[in-house]
Amino acid sequence: MEKMRKKIVAGNWKMNKTITETLSFFDEFSKLYDELKENQAEIIIFPPYTSLSILSEKMKNYGIFVGAQNLHEKDNGAYTGEISASMIQSAGCNYVLIGHSERRHFFSESNDLLNQKLKTSLKHKINSIICVGETLSEREAGNHFSIVNKQIKFFLKDITPDQLSKVIIAYEPVWAIGTGKTASPEQANEMHYEIRNTIRNLYSDSIANNISILYGGSVNEENSGILFHQSEIDGGLVGGASLNPKSFLKIIQSAN
Ligand code: PGA
């Protein structure tokens, strides 16, 4: 079947940028974006919570989406320091990142918890980027395919075929995140192929062909073009390089 997936470039700012810094990013980025002749890629930025509202308001006119880096699995209640699905939506955002490796490793988010978070997000009809990826020792032991498949299966437990239209997968090998060490285009492509097959087995051919799978881990303006043009790679989740408007824009251009 002809693939119909459009390219997606997402920027994950992590715990970076104050509101003032967010506004300077916007000023520079919007000028550069205006100069772009054409852009077919969907762009999503994940700033810290404090910038969600202002950035989504500003980006609206550009057709650029803004999302949150996490959400709590409960709708509301006594969960000091947490953010709910409806809070994210009330800030004008309709995207969320779930299960980033930093959430799994520094905040001990388990596969089971991530499944609950995804259910909550989809109940609220929020588009969800679910993150999976193996550690270096898992890859060296040759377990990378089975680890990632297991993460996908846990994530998607009880998720219906209809709900999958709001799910995007990000494959981010842990050893490539923030290390300057990228998976080779072949390594990334073969993992994406494997993930798509898992989706095919769990759901159907057409769902597997339509779901977007992004690569993340030290994506920059030099390596993005070759990565994004692999047959199974539908774009990227970019950390460090998304903080700089010029680099982020070059990465977006390379997706076209
Ligand atoms: P990086 O981060 O591009 O800085 O490696 C990617 C991510 O964590 O999403």
Side-chain angles (χ1 to χ4, degrees):
M1 186 200 273
E2 189 71 26
K3 81 171 190 187
M4 298 152 62
R5 308 182 297 268
K6 74 162 155 183
K7 292 279 190 250
I8 300 172
V9 181
N12 173 14
W13 287 1
K14 311 191 179 185
M15 197 174 71
N16 292 293
K17 293 199 192 292
T18 61
I19 295 177
T20 311
E21 289 162 346
T22 299
L23 291 174
S24 346
F25 175 96
F26 172 78
D27 286 344
E28 195 179 338
F29 181 84
S30 54
K31 280 193 202 92
L32 295 168
Y33 191 72
D34 277 338
E35 289 161 15
L36 260 189
K37 297 262 172 314
E38 204 188 351
N39 170 46
Q40 307 286 347
E42 184 166 309
I43 305 169
I44 314 160
I45 299 179
F46 294 91
Y49 301 143
T50 43
S51 294
L52 285 178
S53 182
I54 186 91
L55 194 64
S56 66
E57 186 57 37
K58 296 263 180 198
M59 288 296 188
K60 229 173 21 207
N61 300 331
Y62 292 81
I64 292 172
F65 300 104
V66 175
Q69 297 170 16
N70 183 26
L71 92 167
H72 195 271
E73 66 279 14
K74 293 277 175 20
D75 282 339
N76 58 273
Y79 302 101
T80 302
E82 292 292 324
I83 189 165
S84 73
S86 54
M87 290 170 192
I88 293 166
Q89 288 176 312
S90 73
C93 302
N94 209 21
Y95 276 86
V96 70
L97 277 184
I98 304 179
H100 186 278
S101 83
E102 286 146 21
R103 299 296 316 172
R104 290 179 188 264
H105 296 109
F106 300 140
F107 302 96
S108 308
E109 294 193 353
S110 66
N111 282 323
D112 181 51
L113 176 69
L114 297 177
N115 172 250
Q116 291 175 45
K117 289 188 178 214
L118 179 59
K119 284 179 180 155
T120 301
S121 168
L122 294 174
K123 183 178 85 184
H124 288 267
K125 306 211 169 355
I126 299 180
N127 298 294
S128 310
I129 302 191
I130 63 171
C131 308
V132 294
E134 81 285 358
T135 61
L136 186 58
S137 58
E138 287 162 346
R139 177 164 281 266
E140 283 172 350
N143 294 333
H144 44 297
F145 291 127
S146 66
I147 291 286
V148 169
N149 276 334
K150 194 172 127 197
Q151 291 172 341
I152 296 274
K153 286 181 184 155
F154 267 113
F155 241 134
L156 297 178
K157 190 165 172 286
D158 304 324
I159 303 298
T160 65
D162 282 355
Q163 290 178 307
L164 261 254
S165 64
K166 290 209 169 295
V167 175
I168 296 166
I169 297 171
Y171 166 58
E172 300 200 295
V174 179
W175 47 271
I177 296 178
T179 57
K181 222 172 140 185
T182 330
S184 69
E186 295 74 25
Q187 280 173 324
N189 204 48
E190 67 175 1
M191 181 61 86
H192 285 220
Y193 181 83
E194 185 71 22
I195 293 172
R196 208 176 291 289
N197 256 337
T198 303
I199 301 296
R200 184 168 289 118
N201 294 333
L202 290 174
Y203 294 92
S204 68
D205 248 358
S206 77
I207 289 181
N209 288 334
N210 284 312
I211 197 159
S212 295
I213 310 178
L214 314 183
Y215 169 79
S218 297
V219 173
N220 59 37
E221 58 200 64
E222 268 92 52
N223 59 30
S224 57
I226 178 147
L227 282 162
F228 295 173
H229 287 93
Q230 300 300 306
S231 58
E232 299 299 326
I233 300 184
D234 305 313
L237 179 54
V238 187
S242 73
L243 294 169
N244 177 307
K246 273 200 200 76
S247 307
F248 193 46
L249 211 93
K250 284 201 176 130
I251 293 171
I252 291 166
Q253 276 176 299
S254 75
N256 282 291

